[in-house]
Amino acid sequence: MATVADLRHGQKGIIKDFTENTLPIKLLELGCLPGNSVELVQVAPLNDPIYINLSGSHLAIRRSLAELIELDIVEETKSK
Amino acid sequence: MSKNINVALIGNPNTGKTSVFNQLTGLKQKVGNYPGITVEKKEGICKLPRGVKAHILDLPGTYSLNTTSLDESLVVELLLNKNDKDYPDVAVVISDVENLKRNLLLFTQIKDLKIPTILVINMADRMSRKGISLDIEAMEKKLDTKIALVSTRKNTGIDRIKELIADYKSISSKPILDPNRISPEYFERLQKTFPQNDLYKLWLVITQDVNFMPIEKKRIQDATDFATKSKDELKKLQHKETVLRYQLINNILKETYKVDFMAAKGLRASMDKILTHKVFGYLIFFVILLTIFQAIFDWSGYPMDFIDEQFALGAEWIKNTLPPGIFTDLLAEGIVAGIGGIVIFIPQIAFLFLFISLLEESGYMSRVVFLMDRVMRPFGLSGKSVVPLISGNACAIPAIMATRTIENWKERLITILVTPFTTCSARLPVYLILIALVIPEGNFLGLSYQALTLMLLYLIGFGMALLSAMVLNKILKIKSRSVFMIEMPTYRLPLLKNVGYTVIEKTKSFVLGAGKIILAISIVLWFLGSNGYSDDFKDADQIVTERIENEGLSTYSKNYIQNNIAAYQAEAQAEGMSPTAIQDSIQVLSEELSERAVAQEIASYKLEHSYIGQAGKAFEPIVKPLGYDWKIGIAVLTSFAAREVFVGTLATIYSVGSDEEETIKNRMAAELDENGQPLFNLASGISLMLFYAFAMQCMSTLAIVKRETNSWKWPMIQLGFMSVFAYIIALIAYQILI
């Protein structure tokens, strides 16, 4: 199962429906809802934390949290 | 009716809420603390059209009414308590046009509390650049509110906010989301049990981990199983609530908010690529740090010297103008010197907060946190502790004030507790003089031993801070709920007005907050140093004069006079003065010098027999194992007020009478122990330096820790632990080296 932690630079994913209550409510409020997109913007030099664009919200979260967010990776042809 | 309209400013962090507050209130603002806690309370008065006034309260930034930090709990607490004197007549929710969707989540929650709520959409100046277009009229209808489109940067729309506030009675207070939609079954049951209460408010009380005054949580828990409904289930409902709210918002925005992505331009991506780069990111951060250091260390030296001089002159002037007596002494040596000891820190504090607020305003600070988080994690800290810890290398006071950005209380407390281990600039004069005295000259791989020692001391301080953070992280049992998550705001040019306000406000809060305590302790120290109970103290003038008449001046004083005369003579001869003229002026000079020497010997004798001097002697058995005599003991003791007084105190005790470092150093080098060996040797010198590295000798820091943790418990633990630890390390070092 892919999670936000599996994203590569510039890669996007669509958040899957989650049934478990493992995610902190704060993350939901910042836009981490099923169906919303996540993009990996940057990875910190020591590989952690990661910097994501969560449907318009730019956030840095730790990998441990990112591993809890399941998603479908959108295979994007690099247009840049 | 002359009552002011109560307005609460509410909004997500990074929406420019503080800018709006500054624009509305100007300098008519007051910054304090909420009673009993250390959350900053900012309030101010705003003049509205038609002669009405509004009392504006700037609530801490929050993403929603689901609280995870003290700051956020406070917002909910106020909004639920109708009896609070600050309970708003009207709420103003500040949002950022780029993140409108997320900001509206909070808006809908506030509106559901049935408070008239105005929506401010800030940063309107960015709309065209981001390709955003809004249909304000339609949005007002859908959200059932009034909207002000504002740009604090361009200074537009502020009058519209004022108009809306003045007209708040016409603003709807109808809720948006019916709680029954979250779970009909659950909320119906809730309503039946508490027919008197508002459903949404009940829901907040049940789900939040805070105690709220008007609706007692306990009563709910006792009466029913609503709260005891399993945590998991409650959380599920909260999730559902959030999803529902977003659906609502999405529907509204679909018709009123358009973004043309083709038109959107942003610096974010390219700047982030450099500023968070594996190499350049750290490099840039390092350069910025160096600049900050340079400012705090070096540039602030000029105003500090100036302040120092002015206060010395002031004290001098008071002594010369007012009739001599205890009151004059108190004024000159106690109060003026005490106030001087506070004012002297202003340049460093102002500089640090100038930089910190520039970094925060520009959005760079979040990047620092991002870069450093992983590095700090093994020590139980996060990226947010980096700036305070590094600032501590200049001065612990502003550093501890800077910990306010850490939401996690445990992390913040640890940072506050360990910061004083870092090598602040007040330790520097002590280190420099001791290094010059006891560390031999010479090189190791091209680096002088003395420079290496200094560097080692800095490393020891920082290492100790990290090490104790690790230990504290294990020991302290504090529940901390918040997860690490930080918003990466867009880069912006800092608004000078905001930066200016921050600097003024932080400086003021230091002067008024810690200042009182520092002043009080200075007066006590002055009293103890200039009073004594013994006859020796009272008759010091007579005793010393008699001794000098019988035995002559002390050897040191004699040398002091001779050296000065010799120096003068050499200079005069070099200038080509006639021998008779030289002889005459030497006559005058030597009289002056011996007068000064006598005064110094009296001062020294007095200090020896003052309360502090007595304490130093009583203290001697304790410091003896560390290699110090009672004189150093006094200097160490007075250093508990502030480390930098070490040199000054020794100057007084050795009756050197000048703060000239070279003179004091020579005098210290000449000091012998009872075996006729130099008192300051490698063993005692290193033991002293280590003591200063670890001991909590700064009452200003203690005062600020008291203020920030809101109790005497933590500063006292800090004082006790650090001092005992310093003692043990100094003891071990001396015993090994001797």
Side-chain angles (χ1 to χ4, degrees):
Chain A
M1 187 65 73
T3 67
V4 170
D6 298 323
L7 287 172
R8 287 194 311 271
H9 258 269
Q11 210 175 27
K12 271 190 192 166
I14 304 291
I15 299 170
K16 277 194 169 178
D17 225 341
F18 40 81
T19 43
E20 292 303 309
N21 289 323
T22 39
L23 291 181
I25 184 90
K26 184 135 270 182
L27 201 58
L28 268 72
E29 289 165 354
L30 288 167
C32 179
L33 294 171
N36 280 353
S37 72
V38 192
E39 183 191 344
L40 183 71
V41 182
Q42 279 277 352
V43 176
L46 294 165
N47 212 22
D48 195 6
I50 60 172
Y51 173 0
I52 54 172
N53 178 350
L54 188 61
S55 69
S57 287
H58 292 80
L59 301 177
I61 56 172
R62 290 183 177 170
R63 264 183 197 282
S64 51
L65 184 60
E67 279 163 8
L68 300 177
I69 311 170
E70 294 183 351
L71 44 61
D72 288 321
I73 293 176
V74 180
E75 284 305 334
E76 209 173 333
T77 43
K78 288 237 166 161
S79 54
K80 281 179 212 172
Chain B
M1 203 179 84
S2 64
K3 187 187 158 281
N4 290 344
I5 303 173
N6 262 340
V7 181
L9 293 190
I10 307 166
N12 288 11
N14 302 311
T15 51
K17 193 164 58 68
T18 304
S19 302
V20 173
F21 177 71
N22 286 341
Q23 300 262 24
L24 284 175
T25 60
L27 267 179
K28 288 187 285 299
Q29 43 178 270
K30 204 174 87 195
V31 180
N33 270 356
Y34 287 93
I37 46 175
T38 52
V39 178
E40 216 166 49
K41 181 180 187 181
K42 289 170 97 178
E43 47 195 336
I45 297 290
C46 171
K47 277 199 185 125
L48 301 175
R50 298 183 289 282
V52 195
K53 277 189 195 163
H55 169 259
I56 315 256
L57 182 64
D58 184 15
L59 288 171
T62 175
Y63 287 108
S64 80
L65 295 185
N66 293 317
T67 62
T68 48
S69 74
L70 196 61
D71 287 32
E72 293 175 337
S73 311
L74 190 113
V75 176
V76 183
E77 239 163 281
L78 173 67
L79 295 178
L80 285 180
N81 186 0
K82 277 208 164 122
N83 300 323
D84 195 305
K85 70 170 176 39
D86 290 325
Y87 184 82
D89 297 310
V90 53
V92 177
V93 173
I94 317 283
S95 63
D96 155 17
V97 72
E98 277 183 69
N99 288 306
L100 196 56
K101 195 200 284 179
R102 197 183 73 207
N103 294 170
L104 282 179
L105 181 82
L106 178 64
F107 173 84
T108 63
Q109 288 177 325
I110 307 282
K111 203 153 169 10
D112 287 349
L113 292 170
K114 296 179 184 157
I115 299 169
T117 308
I118 297 169
L119 179 64
V120 169
I121 302 181
N122 194 11
M123 315 210 186
D125 50 298
R126 302 179 70 92
M127 279 170 62
S128 61
R129 196 143 41 104
K130 292 286 169 183
I132 298 171
S133 55
L134 296 173
D135 183 347
I136 296 283
E137 235 174 274
M139 208 183 277
E140 282 187 335
K141 247 184 226 136
K142 297 246 177 203
L143 287 171
D144 188 21
T145 183
K146 292 282 182 224
I147 296 176
L149 193 60
V150 170
S151 162
T152 41
R153 197 165 288 265
K154 295 263 157 67
N155 219 341
T156 57
I158 297 292
D159 287 338
R160 163 93 173 151
I161 306 181
K162 291 184 186 172
E163 285 279 346
L164 291 177
I165 293 174
D167 206 20
Y168 78 93
K169 288 204 171 112
S170 69
I171 295 188
S172 153
S173 57
K174 274 216 292 288
I176 285 191
L177 180 79
D178 177 5
N180 280 308
R181 283 185 58 197
I182 304 170
S183 160
E185 173 263 336
Y186 178 77
F187 280 91
E188 255 165 48
R189 214 148 46 88
L190 194 60
Q191 188 74 87
K192 258 186 218 145
T193 327
F194 299 96
Q196 312 295 330
N197 292 95
D198 179 80
L199 263 186
Y200 181 60
K201 288 185 184 170
L202 277 174
W203 172 237
L204 277 180
V205 175
I206 291 170
T207 50
Q208 304 312 306
D209 258 356
V210 225
N211 258 314
F212 301 110
M213 289 315 286
I215 317 174
E216 264 179 67
K217 190 167 183 148
K218 209 171 164 329
R219 223 188 76 215
I220 301 176
Q221 281 172 341
D222 289 350
T224 67
D225 61 337
F226 290 117
T228 50
K229 196 173 166 84
S230 83
K231 273 232 153 77
D232 261 8
E233 266 174 275
L234 277 180
K235 217 176 152 195
K236 230 176 230 171
L237 290 183
Q238 278 184 296
H239 279 199
K240 192 156 175 224
E241 182 196 346
T242 311
V243 173
L244 279 175
R245 283 187 193 279
Y246 266 118
Q247 275 172 6
L248 217 107
I249 294 164
N250 280 335
N251 284 337
I252 294 171
L253 289 185
K254 218 177 344 187
E255 291 162 40
T256 56
Y257 182 90
K258 300 248 152 31
V259 188
D260 176 5
F261 284 106
M262 297 310 284
K265 290 179 287 218
L267 280 172
R268 175 198 288 273
S270 41
M271 288 197 51
D272 272 335
K273 215 162 244 163
I274 302 169
L275 291 178
T276 60
H277 186 269
K278 280 182 171 49
V279 181
F280 299 126
Y282 286 118
L283 214 64
I284 293 168
F285 179 47
F286 188 66
V287 170
I288 292 176
L289 274 185
L290 275 183
T291 318
I292 297 179
F293 252 58
Q294 180 73 8
I296 296 176
F297 245 131
D298 202 23
W299 302 342
S300 63
Y302 301 103
M304 285 173 89
D305 287 346
F306 176 76
I307 291 167
D308 205 20
E309 252 164 52
Q310 292 310 305
F311 273 92
L313 285 177
E316 192 74 32
W317 181 84
I318 290 172
K319 272 191 162 173
N320 294 336
T321 345
L322 294 180
I326 180 135
F327 178 72
T328 307
D329 282 352
L330 170 68
L331 202 61
E333 288 164 16
I335 295 176
V336 172
I339 294 176
I342 302 159
V343 175
I344 194 106
F345 285 114
I346 288 180
Q348 288 189 328
I349 291 180
F351 263 125
L352 183 66
F353 279 101
L354 174 72
F355 282 105
I356 287 188
S357 76
L358 279 175
L359 296 184
E360 254 165 18
E361 280 270 314
S362 63
Y364 181 70
M365 199 62 107
S366 307
R367 275 70 184 182
V368 172
V369 174
F370 177 66
L371 279 177
M372 299 302 291
D373 180 60
R374 184 68 189 86
V375 183
M376 301 307 286
R377 227 179 289 169
F379 308 104
L381 301 172
S382 78
K384 295 180 183 177
S385 304
V386 168
V387 171
L389 274 181
I390 290 173
S391 317
N393 281 294
C395 179
I397 298 158
I400 286 170
M401 286 161 77
T403 60
R404 288 199 170 178
T405 48
I406 307 172
E407 297 101 1
N408 184 324
W409 170 242
K410 185 179 177 186
E411 244 175 67
R412 179 166 167 212
L413 183 65
I414 293 178
T415 313
I416 290 176
L417 291 179
V418 305
T419 297
F421 276 123
T422 55
T423 306
C424 69
S425 57
R427 285 180 173 99
L428 205 56
V430 183
Y431 286 169
L432 289 179
I433 206 163
L434 289 172
I435 286 176
L437 265 178
V438 303
I439 305 294
E441 286 175 27
N443 282 299
F444 177 75
L445 295 176
L447 289 164
S448 80
Y449 288 141
Q450 301 194 337
L452 280 173
T453 312
L454 188 63
M455 200 182 78
L456 217 59
L457 285 165
Y458 270 91
L459 289 179
I460 287 175
F462 204 76
M464 188 58 203
L466 291 181
L467 199 73
S468 31
M470 212 149 83
V471 174
L472 281 170
N473 186 42
K474 292 252 155 59
I475 300 176
L476 286 178
K477 294 274 173 280
I478 297 175
K479 216 174 64 185
S480 48
R481 280 173 297 156
S482 57
V483 275
F484 176 84
M485 199 183 298
I486 185 165
E487 207 189 337
M488 309 288 265
T490 26
Y491 291 102
R492 292 184 196 120
L493 217 57
L495 279 180
L496 286 183
K497 208 173 177 183
N498 287 349
V499 174
Y501 280 134
T502 310
V503 172
I504 292 172
E505 189 191 285
K506 295 285 176 189
T507 314
K508 224 167 77 184
S509 79
F510 164 72
V511 172
L512 300 178
K516 278 180 277 186
I517 302 173
I518 300 171
L519 185 60
I521 300 179
S522 308
I523 292 173
V524 170
L525 276 181
W526 162 80
F527 177 82
L528 295 177
S530 59
N531 287 281
Y533 58 88
S534 65
D535 289 340
D536 280 337
F537 180 85
K538 286 176 194 122
D539 304 331
D541 287 22
Q542 207 189 332
I543 295 170
V544 175
T545 326
E546 266 171 28
R547 192 187 67 199
I548 292 171
E549 267 165 24
N550 296 335
E551 305 165 22
L553 287 164
S554 69
T555 337
Y556 178 77
S557 296
K558 277 184 203 149
N559 288 340
Y560 163 77
I561 295 172
Q562 266 170 13
N563 290 344
N564 265 293
I565 289 176
Y568 176 79
Q569 205 165 9
E571 200 182 309
Q573 274 164 354
E575 277 174 18
M577 269 171 77
S578 72
T580 42
I582 293 178
Q583 215 52 54
D584 281 351
S585 36
I586 282 181
Q587 190 62 39
V588 178
L589 183 68
S590 72
E591 263 167 41
E592 246 175 55
L593 284 171
S594 51
E595 224 173 89
R596 210 184 292 168
V598 172
Q600 280 163 14
E601 288 200 15
I602 292 173
S604 158
Y605 190 82
K606 269 192 165 170
L607 187 65
E608 185 182 341
H609 292 93
S610 68
Y611 292 117
I612 279 201
Q614 300 289 325
K617 287 209 170 148
F619 201 51
E620 190 169 20
I622 303 174
V623 295
K624 194 105 199 155
L626 309 186
Y628 320 152
D629 65 352
W630 67 269
K631 293 175 190 172
I632 303 178
I634 295 179
V636 169
L637 215 52
T638 52
S639 291
F640 275 90
R643 299 177 177 95
E644 63 270 30
V645 305
F646 174 79
V647 180
T649 311
L650 280 183
T652 315
I653 302 174
Y654 292 147
S655 66
V656 177
S658 101
D659 274 353
E660 213 37 64
E661 209 167 285
E662 209 48 30
T663 335
I664 301 168
K665 202 185 92 190
N666 291 337
R667 180 66 186 84
M668 283 164 78
E671 186 74 3
L672 302 177
D673 65 12
E674 58 243 30
N675 305 324
Q677 296 299 312
L679 183 68
F680 289 94
N681 49 39
L682 191 69
S684 66
I686 291 207
S687 144
L688 251 181
M689 282 191 267
L690 287 173
F691 189 85
Y692 274 79
F694 298 132
M696 178 70 189
Q697 296 167 296
C698 179
M699 60 183 181
S700 314
T701 306
L702 288 173
I704 213 78
V705 172
K706 191 262 147 191
R707 221 179 71 109
E708 294 295 314
T709 61
N710 206 23
S711 86
W712 280 109
K713 177 182 163 196
W714 296 112
M716 286 305 121
I717 288 177
Q718 223 173 4
L719 177 66
F721 172 75
M722 289 177 69
S723 306
V724 169
F725 183 76
Y727 183 86
I728 294 169
I729 296 294
L731 177 71
I732 294 171
Y734 181 74
Q735 295 301 335
I736 290 175
L737 288 168
I738 195 67

